[in-house]
Each structure stands twice: as C-alpha cells, then as structure tokens.
C-alpha cells in the first residue's frame, strides 16, 4: 500500500508540473493587434540602433502602415528563419524581413505588393582579385539560409563551379568573407551597401542581378491584414511618407548621404571600452534574461530530473519504463532540434502559440531534466544495496527507506553532478537565441548586426559568461562544502 | 502469548529459481518459539537465501512461508508489519553511514511510531549498553571497528523489539579478535530466549548455542538434528566431509 501511494504521488506531481507548463499559454491576441516577426540582422531594413531600439525601413514602414490603417503591432526580431517558421506554425501573424517575393513563398504565404525593389550582388574582400562570377570556379562562397540571394547563388553554382557554405545571419556570412574562409558572398544590394558603408571591409563587384521585390508575408488565411498592408502602403507612397522613410536610412541617393544616414545610428567611440560603455545596457539586459532563463530552467529541470530519476528506481516496471524512455528521448535529442521542435513544431500540432520564453524553458527543462534524471538515478543506484535491505528489514516501507536512508547518501554522490549541470544549463541558454530569446548571445548578435564589430563584442559576451560561471562555481563549491561536510 | 511449542516460522515446500538455476529445492523448515536454529553448509548451499526468504528480502518461486501463521507470499499480507517483528543482522553490518550510532538505532522505532523520540533514545541507550557500546552513542559508524559496528547493528535490530532474529554470517567479515564480542552478545540473546536463525561458519559457537543444527547442501536440507547428532554423529557422508574440512581449518 505504502509503495503504491508513493508511486501515485510521483505521477501526480509530474502530471501537475506538465499541465502547469502547458496551460501557461498566453491569451490569444486581441483584435486588431498583430505580432510581426522580423530578422535581427538586416540593416537597413531592420536593426537595433545605438540605443538598441529596433529601427529600419521595414520597422518604420510597418509602424506607419499600422498607424494609417488603425491596428497595432508588436515587432519581434527573432531572426529570418525563425520568423518564417513561426509564421508557418501560426506563432506570429506576419513577417516583414526584407523578404523577396518568390513563387515558392507565394505558394505558402500571402505576399504583399512589393514595397522595395532589389537585386542580388556579389561582394568580395576589399583588395581581392576576384571581380566576377567566372573567377569563382573551385572557390567557396558564403550565403545566408533561406534568402533570395542564396537561391540566386545556388542557381548559378553549377554554371560557375563554386561551392557554398550557409550561415544563419548576415554578419556571420560577411565575417566568413573578411576572414578569407570564403572568397565571396551574395546579398541583396541595399543591405550589402549599408554594411559596407558601416565599415565592413568588403566591395561589391557585380551589378544587381535577378531583380525581385521585397514583400510582407502573412499566412494564407489572413487576407484582412494583407489587404490593410497593401492599402496602407499605397497611402504612404501617395502622401510621401514612404520616400521619407527610405531617405532616412538610405540618404538621397549618393553614397555620401547614405553614409551620413548610417552614422546617425552608430556608436561614435569604436574602441573596446567605448563599445562596452555604449552597449552596456543591452549586454546587461541580455545577461539578465540569460540569468532569468537559467534560474527558472534549473528549478524546473531539477524538479523534473529528481522526479524522473526517482521513478527510475521504483520497484515498478511501468515507472522505470517511463523514466528510461524520458531519459532516452530528451538526452538523445540535440538541444537545438528540441528548441526548434517545441517552438515551431509543436504549435502547428496543438494549434496554439508557444511563446519563445516558455518554449525555451520547456526545452531546457526536458533536456537538462533528462541529464539530471540520469545522474539522480545513478546516484541512488550507487548507494550500496545493503542499505536498502537493512532499512527494509527494520520494517521501513520503500518510500521511507528511500527518503531517510538512500537519498541522503545518494545526494552526496549527486552534488558534483548537480553543480556541473547548473553550469551546463547556463551555457545552454545561449542556444535559445535560435528561437529569438533576447538573452546574452542574442544581444551580442544584435549589436554586431548593427556595428559589425564581431571580435570586440564576442569578447565582451565571452567575458561576461566567464565571470558568471566563475561566480556560479564559487557558489557551488561553497554549497558542496556545506552539504558534504 | 505464543506457546513454547508453536512454530514461529514455517517454510513449506519452498523453491527458488534464478532463471534455470535452482538455488533452493523443496525446503521444509520450521522454527519454534525460543528455538535457536543454526544453518551450516558449504558456500552456495542456499543458507543465506533461505534466511533472507524468511523476512521477504528474497521472494519464493514456489511454496509457502508462514510467519506466525501469516503467509508472506500473499499480496494482502503487509510485509512491512511482519518485518517489524523480525530483526536481521547482515554480514557487512549495513549501518547507515550518514547517521550517528544513536540515530541508527532510533530511526525505525521513531519513523514507525513505535515510540516518541525521547523514549526511543532512552531505550536505544539501554540496548547500546547491552551490546557494550554506551560511550559510542554519538559516534559515526565509520569511526567504529567492525566488531563494534556489528554490535550496533544488533542493537538497531533489537530496538524494534523483534520476536525473531536472523543472523546472516554475522562474524564472517570481522577480524578474529572482534568475533568474540559479537558472539557474546548473541549468546546472551539466546540465553534470554530469543527465537534465532543463524547462518554461520563458527562451528564451536553453533555447537554451544544451537537447539538444532541444519546442514544445507546444493539448495536442500541434507540432515538436521541436535548439535551432538550433527557434529558428533553425522549420518550423511557430505556432512562428515564438510565438518572434517571446517573443523581441521
């Protein structure tokens, strides 16, 4: 009897926990309010300015149209791929992210009338001998996944005999060219021009090819929002607001005026400490989010891990089966795959949105929880079987024997693993940048997307992680000494 | 009260298999109230398995085991209640290393609400005195010698006021000079009339305290009788050769 109630208790707690996580879904968006996804790194269309507010042609256009047409928007810079997947999954209502209108996309989504026309250009490192597509034979070229420029590159790849390497954001693609790993990259002309004006050491060597228009995308059913966007765009073009927005970011046409327009959005002091000072707020904001995600995830993962680990040592084959399966699946899945699955896969399955923060917490809880369960189980199993036999032979029921005799000894064995797992969890939060959580790594990406100072900013980010992990290690060692004394 | 001649333990046609390995074959063994039964025999003969079956640490494949008439292989029988009446002492003591000696002794009485903490503590000190370890009440098990640990283990089992005590090779893991103290405690218990089942290789001790000696071989009871019958006039050849080997050593 005792044993049964113990098993049942565990199930109830586990089930309750999952229900809490699951039912924490947000209320559906109110009428006339839309969530729009955008890229993090696509200046001048969207980027964070020196005050780390989101600005750019796409952002200003979207806000202006919303105002004209009488709806409100929340714009979420989650990254281009994440935004498109989130739109497919119904997590967001629209995407405005310098998205070229292509037949494939029109198949999947509703796409607006073009609001900006671009062509694809090829850029090489300044001073490079490569000046044309023909010289790319046998060379490696960097592209950004899912973009029209990437499609163009892939379409001419065989003709000119080059290989490609793909990146998730523009800056990483540019860096691959400046470091010489790739000889060239392909990008939409205004974006490439903007980055070069900002100080990127690349040169454009081809004329814009494959002209396409940028369009706003919604899912196929959202004809209302699409109609409003098209109508709003028409009005902005008619009243001159459209031209104003373009000039704000691109200048009046000359390179000089564009450079001047750029400068307004940039830090003035480009030294390490100048950049650190200018971006301190953003980095600390990111750190705060990282710590929040870490702490919440550690709490949930520890609870889930202990419960699942305990299930794994119960004298009940069904309970042990659940534990083994849980550990097998969630320890087996890469964190990145799990995060994308929960954020973009699950919503299309259950037909409801899963906010990024919740998706991130669930991801970490399942993954870190599986690792925790494995060492909790192992820690308990490492306690001499004679201990359980002695406790049971005194008449103690299984649950009491576990709690009073086995766990106190098992926990001492587990403490170093717990500390290790906390540190891993802290580091693993960086992977959640893929689903747009604005944590430390994502904050770094955003800053770099604006100022192209990859080396200095990543150094800052790395140092912040090291400082935090050092503090966490000290704290853990102190706790360890207390527990094992 | 249980009468002198009542069977406290009844093992009826008991079998135990580990896969295709038959470790216990058709064992019938009864233990009467106040009786001291010593199980002897070569290693692997199944003595310890039989002992561990009496308090349900090992399950039976076939047959019945009755403790004071209750069949412990039946699902409705609360094995925890039965174990409260059966104390067990292990070869490797199995003291709880994270608790003091005193905490080891009072854990079960307090947890199972047999006594409040103050009463249990007072009683525990009495049992520690019985085993001659009053001054070690606040020591951690790791700081004790093997013999001392085993005596604490006996006090821990006694704290539940058991009707039956099981000893599974209680002196096998001890240094020779520690054996005497432990046997002395067991001798006292036997003299006080405790019902005991003991697995041991201490033949001199068996001869001295046993009411009955049971010789096991190959998972079966080969013969049993009074110490004189078994040690001085063994009927079976296997018993003779076993005794020759151990007594020469």
């Amino acid at each position: 009897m005792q044993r049964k109630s113990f098993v049942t208790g565990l199930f109830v707690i586990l089930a309750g926990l999952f229900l809490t996580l699951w039912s924490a879904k947000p209320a559906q968006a109110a009428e006339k309010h839309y969530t729009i996804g955008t890229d993090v790194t696509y200046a001048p269309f969207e980027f964070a300015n020196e005050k780390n507010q989101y600005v750019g042609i796409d952002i200003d256009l979207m806000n202006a149209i919303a105002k004209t047409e009488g709806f409100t928007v929340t714009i979420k810079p989650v990254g281009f791929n994440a935004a498109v997947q989130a739109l497919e999954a119904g997590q967001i209502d629209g995407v405005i992210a310098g998205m070229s209108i292509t037949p494939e996309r029109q198949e999947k989504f509703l796409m607006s009338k073009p609001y900006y026309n671009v062509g694809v250009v090829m850029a090489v490192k300044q001073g490079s001998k490569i000046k044309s597509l023909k010289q790319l034979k046998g060379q490696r070229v960097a592209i950004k996944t899912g973009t029209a420029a990437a499609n163009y590159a892939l379409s001419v790849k065989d003709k000119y005999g080059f290989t490609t390497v793909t990146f998730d954001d523009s800056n990483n693609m540019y860096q691959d060219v400046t470091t010489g790993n790739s000889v060239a990259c392909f990008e939409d002309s205004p974006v490439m021009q903007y980055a070069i004006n900002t100080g990127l050491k690349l040169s454009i060597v081809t004329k814009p090819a494959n002209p396409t228009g940028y369009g706003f995308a919604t899912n196929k059913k959202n004809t209302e929002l699409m109609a409003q966007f098209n109508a709003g765009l028409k009005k902005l073009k008619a009243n001159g607001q459209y031209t104003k927005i373009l000039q704000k970011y691109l200048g009046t046409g000359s390179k000089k005026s564009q450079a001047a327009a750029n400068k307004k959005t940039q830090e003035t002091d480009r030294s390490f400490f100048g950049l650190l000072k200018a971006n301190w707020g953003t980095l600390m904001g990111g750190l705060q989010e990282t710590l929040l995600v870490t702490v919440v995830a550690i709490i949930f993962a520890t609870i889930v891990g202990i419960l699942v680990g305990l299930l794994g040592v119960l004298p009940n084959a069904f309970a042990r089966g659940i534990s083994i399966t849980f550990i097998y699946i969630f320890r087996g899945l890469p964190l990145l795959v799990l995060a994308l699955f929960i954020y973009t896969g699950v919503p299309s399955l259950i037909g409801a949105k899963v906010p990024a923060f919740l998706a991130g917490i669930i991801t970490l809880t399942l993954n870190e929880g599986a690792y925790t369960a494995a060492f909790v189980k192992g820690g308990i199993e490492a306690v001499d079987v004679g201990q359980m036999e002695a406790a049971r032979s005194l008449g103690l029921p299984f649950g009491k024997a576990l709690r009073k005799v086995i766990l106190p000894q098992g926990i001492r064995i587990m403490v170093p693993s717990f500390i290790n797992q906390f540190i891993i969890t802290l580091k693993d939060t960086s992977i959640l940048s893929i689903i747009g959580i604005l944590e430390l790594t994502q904050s770094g990406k955003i800053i770099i997307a604006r100022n192209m100072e990859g080396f200095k900013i990543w150094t800052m980010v790395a140092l912040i992680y090291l400082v935090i992990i050092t503090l966490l290690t000290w704290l853990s060692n102190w706790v360890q000494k207390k527990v094992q004394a | 009260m249980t009468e002198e001649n009542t069977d406290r333990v009844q093992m009826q046609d008991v079998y135990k298999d580990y896969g295709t390995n038959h470790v216990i074959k058709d064992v019938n063994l009864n233990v009467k109230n106040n009786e001291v039964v010593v199980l002897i025999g070569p290693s692997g003969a199944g003595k310890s398995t039989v002992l561990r079956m009496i308090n349900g640490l090992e399950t039976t494949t076939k047959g019945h085991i009755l403790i004071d008439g209750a069949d412990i292989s039946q699902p409705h029988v609360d094995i925890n209640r039965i174990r409260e009446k059966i104390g067990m002492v292990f070869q490797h003591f199995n003291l709880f290393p994270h608790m003091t000696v005193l905490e080891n002794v009072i854990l079960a009485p307090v947890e199972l609400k047999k006594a409040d903490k103050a009463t249990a503590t007072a009683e525990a000190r009495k049992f520690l005195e019985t085993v001659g370890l009053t001054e070690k009440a606040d020591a951690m098990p790791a700081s004790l010698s093997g013999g001392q640990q085993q005596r604490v283990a006996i006090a821990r089992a006694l704290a539940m006021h058991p009707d039956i005590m099981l000893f599974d090779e209680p002196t096998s893991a001890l240094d020779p000079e520690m054996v005497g103290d432990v046997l002395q405690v067991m001798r006292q218990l036997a003299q006080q009339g405790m019902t005991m089942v003991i697995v041991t290789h201490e033949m001199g001790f068996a001869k001295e305290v046993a009411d009955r000696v049971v010789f096991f071989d190959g998972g079966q009871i080969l013969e049993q009788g009074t110490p004189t019958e078994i040690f001085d006039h063994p009927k079976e050849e296997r018993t003779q050769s076993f005794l020759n080997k151990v007594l020469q050593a």
Side-chain angles (χ1 to χ4, degrees), chain A residues 2-3 384-398 400 403-406 408-409 412, chain B residues 52 55 57 79-80 83-84 86-88 90 94-99 107-108 111-113 156-157 160:
Chain A
Q2 288 285 354
R3 178 192 296 173
D384 178 24
V385 288
Q387 292 291 309
M388 183 52 105
E389 290 185 347
R392 297 306 304 275
S393 76
L394 287 166
L396 293 178
F398 179 82
K400 266 200 170 104
R403 227 172 45 240
K404 293 287 170 181
V405 175
I406 308 301
Q409 299 180 56
R412 283 163 205 238
Chain B
R52 289 158 59 84
N55 72 349
L57 285 183
I79 188 71
N80 294 324
R83 282 172 177 155
E84 289 176 11
I86 307 177
M88 182 152 187
F90 299 85
N94 298 354
L95 292 184
F96 308 135
H98 58 299
M99 299 179 186
L107 175 74
E111 283 300 319
L112 298 170
K113 307 211 172 10
R156 180 175 70 178
M160 286 299 289

Side-chain angles (χ1 to χ4, degrees), chain A residues 149-171:
Chain A
N151 287 344
Y152 170 74
L154 292 174
S155 72
V156 298
K157 182 179 162 181
D158 289 340
K159 186 175 165 194
Y160 295 106
F162 59 85
T163 59
T164 54
V165 54
T166 54
F167 292 91
D168 247 0
D169 72 55
S170 303
N171 187 60

Side-chain angles (χ1 to χ4, degrees), chain B residues 32-234:
Chain B
K32 290 191 194 327
N33 196 34
N34 305 120
E35 193 180 16
V36 176
V37 175
V38 175
L39 314 184
I40 60 169
S43 295
K47 313 177 297 283
S48 287
T49 308
V50 163
L51 193 76
R52 289 158 59 84
M53 284 169 129
I54 295 174
N55 72 349
L57 285 183
E58 300 283 349
T59 54
T60 54
T61 306
K62 220 165 81 181
H64 298 279
I65 297 175
L66 281 65
I67 305 295
D68 289 335
D71 189 342
I72 63 168
S73 46
Q74 296 300 314
H76 67 268
V77 170
D78 185 352
I79 188 71
N80 294 324
R81 298 300 300 273
I82 292 194
R83 282 172 177 155
E84 289 176 11
K85 301 193 296 181
I86 307 177
M88 182 152 187
V89 175
F90 299 85
Q91 182 178 354
H92 295 288
F93 336 129
N94 298 354
L95 292 184
F96 308 135
H98 58 299
M99 299 179 186
T100 65
V101 164
L102 189 69
E103 286 166 345
N104 263 275
V105 179
I106 65 170
L107 175 74
V110 171
E111 283 300 319
L112 298 170
K113 307 211 172 10
K114 297 285 161 192
D116 59 55
K117 202 170 174 185
T119 318
T121 306
E123 246 189 34
R125 291 193 187 279
K126 204 182 73 200
F127 284 118
L128 287 175
E129 199 187 326
T130 312
V131 301
L133 289 170
T134 322
E135 77 284 3
K136 296 291 185 187
D138 297 318
M140 296 307 278
S143 68
L144 304 184
S145 73
Q148 291 171 328
Q149 289 194 46
Q150 193 60 298
R151 284 183 281 150
V152 173
I154 294 172
R156 180 175 70 178
L158 291 175
M160 286 299 289
H161 297 284
D163 298 330
I164 305 167
M165 284 286 284
L166 309 177
F167 292 86
D168 189 3
E169 302 199 26
T171 56
S172 300
L174 298 181
D175 290 336
E177 75 268 25
M178 305 286 175
V179 172
D181 291 338
V182 173
L183 292 182
Q184 181 53 35
V185 171
M186 292 169 66
R187 196 175 286 121
Q188 274 175 34
L189 278 177
Q191 281 159 4
Q192 288 161 14
M194 175 66 77
T195 308
M196 294 162 76
V197 184
I198 304 166
V199 173
T200 187
H201 294 292
E202 298 288 336
M203 293 306 154
F205 177 75
K207 211 166 172 176
E208 178 197 336
V209 302
D211 294 313
R212 183 153 48 109
V213 176
V214 182
F215 179 75
F216 271 83
D217 191 39
Q220 288 173 307
I221 295 176
L222 217 59
E223 69 173 304
Q224 51 180 311
T226 62
T228 320
E229 282 167 357
I230 299 295
F231 289 113
D232 299 339
H233 311 289

